[in-house]
């Protein structure tokens, strides 16, 4: 009823033989928080001095650049984790597919064996009915003979 492929595709075989990503601990810890807020209070302290204001603005731009770099690192970490999760899901998908195929095969085999057992039980019952009938006839004969003998002795 169900046919099982004799050869697996190369990717399926590779996925089945590769180690689980989660069990090897390749997923890094929680994603770090990055504070991207910049205080504008320094600009308020400098009135009219354009050069001082530009210095503060450059410093803030440098801080923004550093925060963007931090954010970039976090995003790279998230990207790596998503690839690891994707690989693990592909592996789990292959394992689920294999389990489903085996369950289908097992269900078909179980169905066939159940049908065979029903036939065997039916044959055994028909034979046992004959044996039970013979035993009942013999028992009735023995009981009838014993009753006849008892009646002859008493009567």
């Amino acid at each position: 009823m169900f046919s099982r492929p004799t050869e697996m595709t190369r990717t399926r075989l590779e996925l089945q033989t590769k180690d689980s990503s989660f069990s090897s601990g390749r997923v890094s810890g929680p994603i770090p928080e990055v504070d991207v807020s910049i205080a504008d209070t320094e600009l308020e302290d400098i009135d009219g001095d354009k050069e001082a204001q530009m210095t503060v603005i450059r410093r803030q731009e440098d801080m923004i650049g550093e925060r963007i770099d931090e954010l970039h690192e976090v995003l790279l970490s998230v990207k790596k984790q998503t690839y690891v999760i994707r690989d693990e899901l592909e592996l789990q998908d292959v394992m689920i597919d294999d389990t489903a195929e085996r369950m289908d095969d097992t269900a078909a085999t179980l169905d066939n064996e159940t049908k065979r057992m029903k036939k065997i039980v039916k044959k055994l019952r028909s034979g046992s009915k004959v044996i039970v009938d013979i035993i009942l006839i013999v028992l009735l004969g023995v009981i009838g003979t014993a009753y006849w003998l008892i009646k002859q002795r008493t009567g």
Side-chain angles (χ1 to χ4, degrees):
M1 181 176 199
F2 296 98
S3 62
R4 187 164 189 206
T6 54
E7 289 186 31
M8 288 194 260
T9 61
R10 183 165 174 76
T11 55
R12 178 176 253 189
L13 184 60
E14 287 172 356
L15 285 172
Q16 282 183 329
T17 57
K18 109 176 176 183
D19 291 334
S20 170
S21 302
F22 288 112
S23 61
S24 65
R26 290 191 334 193
V27 176
S28 60
I31 299 169
E33 292 185 23
V34 177
D35 181 20
V36 291
S37 62
I38 303 292
D40 287 335
T41 55
E42 292 181 43
L43 288 177
E44 295 171 359
D45 295 340
I46 305 171
D47 291 330
D49 188 5
K50 297 284 186 194
E51 199 169 306
Q53 287 178 351
M54 289 304 292
T55 304
V56 170
I57 290 172
R58 283 190 199 106
R59 204 172 335 131
Q60 286 181 342
E61 286 175 347
D62 289 343
M63 288 173 44
I64 290 171
E66 289 173 9
R67 300 265 166 70
I68 288 174
D69 289 342
E70 289 175 23
L71 188 58
H72 177 73
E73 291 298 318
V74 168
L75 291 176
L76 286 177
S77 174
V78 169
K79 181 180 177 182
K80 288 177 188 176
Q81 289 179 7
T82 57
Y83 284 140
V84 169
I85 291 170
R86 183 205 60 201
D87 291 345
E88 184 68 21
L89 288 173
E90 287 176 354
L91 175 64
Q92 295 295 326
D93 184 46
V94 168
M95 292 169 67
I96 288 170
D97 287 346
D98 268 359
T99 302
E101 286 177 13
R102 289 181 186 161
M103 288 301 294
D104 289 343
D105 292 345
T106 303
T109 303
L110 184 61
D111 189 41
N112 291 336
E113 292 300 319
T114 302
K115 288 177 183 175
R116 278 187 52 214
M117 286 300 292
K118 283 181 180 180
K119 288 178 184 177
I120 291 170
V121 167
K122 189 174 183 179
K123 286 180 183 179
L124 286 175
R125 276 197 175 164
S126 63
S128 66
K129 284 182 182 177
V130 171
I131 293 172
V132 168
D133 290 344
I134 292 172
I135 291 173
L136 285 175
I137 291 172
V138 170
L139 280 175
L140 285 174
V142 169
I143 292 172
T145 305
Y147 179 73
W148 181 75
L149 286 175
I150 293 173
K151 192 172 184 181
Q152 288 236 341
R153 285 188 184 175
T154 56

